[in-house]
Amino acid sequence: METLLGHLAQFSALSSQGEILCTQGLAYLLTEHLDARSAFADQISARAGISINRGMTWHAEQRQPDRGRPDLEARIDTTPVVKIEAKLDAGFQTNQLRSYVSDLQRCLQGQDLNGVLVVLVPRARSESAIAMVKGEFGLEGPGPWRALREGYREVAIAVVSWDDVLMTLGRLEAQPLHGELKQFEGMYREFTSSYIAPLAGRAALVDWRNHEDDFVKLVDRVTRRMTTAHKLLPMAIEPLEHATEGLDPRGYNRRYVCLRTPDAEPPCFSIGVRDPFAGNDTPIWMRFHNGTPRFPVIRERLDSSVISARVVKSDGHVWIPLAVPLHTDSEQMVDVLVEDAEAILQVGLAHQTT
């Protein structure tokens, strides 16, 4: 009998395709284990406030006529009755959920079957996912909700957390489900350990020490993205001689990235988390250390550019704040930070690339 990890082995890039692997893993558990399939159907029924047939078959990434492709789809015979959009960290595409609801309504036309759209996210994203669903469909209240369309059957909409699914399936003691579920949960926990909650406003920046780990995760992902041809250097906390007045200095938790150049000793920069300098609110800072090769050239180019207004000089080093975007998912935050850092590099070392 095929095992969960054996099934997932056919899918590559474990570290970069967490959502695909978790979705495929759940599809495998629901396909191979009747108890899991029944328990999950009951959970959806309870959360959506609508009766769902336990005898559904589950399929991953089935394409709709409009080319939409939900992560999971449950069918009675050939009729889709449940569509699941599963997320770990990535954002939702515009009109993605509306497409799934419309296809359910089309397929259920003339059928005596109930339909449900499930948005499956980590528990930490549940609140933001609920707000997104309510805004997308103009819904009110805590749910369960109904999507209505004149002349068509209504479709229930529910937000469910991966964590609650794991808890539901974890109550089942059947083997080998129990052992495979433990493997699945371990994989899920590993992938979601990098989750970064969206910043709701400037207050979240001012209060950065209470979620410092999220900013450190951002730095880790940004510097990993920018390290293209070199050994990944470790994150390290460097003591700071000076900090913003009135704040308890935490040091500079940073990673160095060295530029890809023909130089025997290429210039490097660091990106890290620290107490912001006066007049700034972001805790993420890019720094050119005064000991890095070509430092005088870098400093002069930055001083004579439009970036000069952002530059802070302290202890002989050059610091530039990197603004973290608000109200965006972590992928967008990383994209914006990488773009900003690369723009600074283009000014400081116009002909160099990372």
Side-chain angles (χ1 to χ4, degrees):
M1 178 179 177
E2 186 181 30
T3 65
L4 172 65
L5 293 182
H7 174 73
L8 295 179
Q10 65 184 295
F11 302 100
S12 61
L14 293 180
S15 63
S16 62
Q17 298 189 27
E19 287 176 3
I20 294 175
L21 291 173
C22 286
T23 300
Q24 291 288 346
L26 180 58
Y28 169 86
L29 294 174
L30 297 176
T31 300
E32 296 294 326
H33 302 286
L34 176 61
D35 287 352
R37 189 157 62 249
S38 298
F40 189 49
D42 291 346
Q43 183 177 27
I44 292 175
S45 295
R47 189 61 58 89
I50 196 168
S51 178
I52 296 297
N53 193 313
R54 280 182 158 194
M56 301 178 294
T57 59
W58 286 93
H59 310 268
E61 299 188 343
Q62 297 296 298
R63 191 177 293 277
Q64 302 175 166
D66 66 359
R67 302 184 67 81
R69 189 163 59 183
D71 294 309
L72 285 176
E73 183 176 278
R75 296 176 177 178
I76 299 294
D77 295 325
T78 59
T79 303
V81 291
V82 178
K83 291 180 185 282
I84 296 181
E85 183 59 23
K87 299 292 187 186
L88 295 183
D89 198 23
F92 293 86
Q93 298 176 15
T94 304
N95 296 325
Q96 188 175 33
L97 302 183
R98 287 184 175 276
S99 165
Y100 302 156
V101 167
S102 294
D103 192 67
L104 280 171
Q105 291 172 327
R106 178 186 63 82
C107 293
L108 294 170
Q109 186 74 348
Q111 303 271 359
D112 188 22
L113 297 169
N114 294 320
V116 181
L117 169 67
V118 174
V119 177
L120 184 60
V121 295
R123 184 174 292 148
R125 288 191 71 178
S126 293
E127 185 175 340
S128 61
I130 288 170
M132 182 275 299
V133 167
K134 290 169 70 172
E136 179 75 10
F137 293 96
L139 302 170
E140 300 287 343
W145 306 289
R146 299 288 183 270
L148 305 176
R149 181 182 175 192
E150 188 174 353
Y152 290 84
R153 289 184 67 86
E154 66 181 21
V155 169
I157 303 175
V159 174
V160 179
S161 77
W162 284 98
D163 308 80
D164 287 343
V165 172
L166 288 168
M167 186 179 300
T168 295
L169 299 185
R171 298 190 183 104
L172 306 173
E173 293 297 334
Q175 291 290 352
L177 170 62
H178 188 67
E180 293 192 319
L181 184 62
K182 288 295 184 184
Q183 295 175 7
F184 178 79
E185 182 173 5
M187 179 180 69
Y188 166 75
R189 298 299 178 197
E190 180 65 26
F191 285 133
T192 55
S193 65
S194 63
Y195 174 71
I196 303 168
L199 299 178
R202 287 293 168 190
L205 290 173
V206 175
D207 193 38
W208 72 272
R209 291 170 192 76
N210 286 328
H211 42 273
E212 183 175 353
D213 286 349
D214 281 353
F215 289 100
V216 173
K217 290 175 188 176
L218 273 176
V219 168
D220 176 60
R221 290 174 60 177
V222 167
T223 50
R224 284 177 183 271
R225 176 90 65 86
M226 299 185 75
T227 303
T228 58
H230 303 279
K231 178 181 177 181
L232 185 70
L233 298 174
M235 296 280 292
I237 299 178
E238 177 183 318
L240 291 174
E241 295 183 26
H242 302 94
T244 301
E245 184 178 354
L247 297 180
D248 176 28
R250 301 291 183 91
Y252 180 44
N253 194 347
R254 48 74 176 148
R255 169 178 284 138
Y256 274 103
V257 178
C258 293
L259 300 175
R260 183 174 56 194
T261 74
D263 300 336
E265 295 185 0
C268 302
F269 63 92
S270 61
I271 295 177
V273 177
R274 59 155 294 157
D275 284 332
F277 288 96
N280 293 274
D281 54 13
T282 179
I284 297 185
W285 289 77
M286 183 175 185
R287 184 188 69 181
F288 292 96
H289 191 281
N290 61 19
T292 195
R294 303 191 63 200
F295 176 76
V297 174
I298 297 170
R299 181 182 56 198
E300 181 179 352
R301 290 186 63 89
L302 292 173
D303 283 344
S304 60
S305 73
V306 293
I307 293 175
S308 62
R310 298 169 58 187
V311 169
V312 176
K313 294 174 183 175
S314 179
D315 299 323
H317 315 307
V318 170
W319 301 80
I320 305 102
L322 300 181
V324 184
L326 306 176
H327 313 294
T328 64
D329 62 65
S330 62
E331 285 300 313
Q332 292 173 299
M333 285 193 271
V334 172
D335 287 344
V336 170
L337 288 165
V338 168
E339 183 179 353
D340 193 14
E342 288 181 340
I344 293 168
L345 290 177
Q346 286 298 316
V347 172
L349 291 144
H351 68 284
Q352 311 288 6
T353 59
T354 56

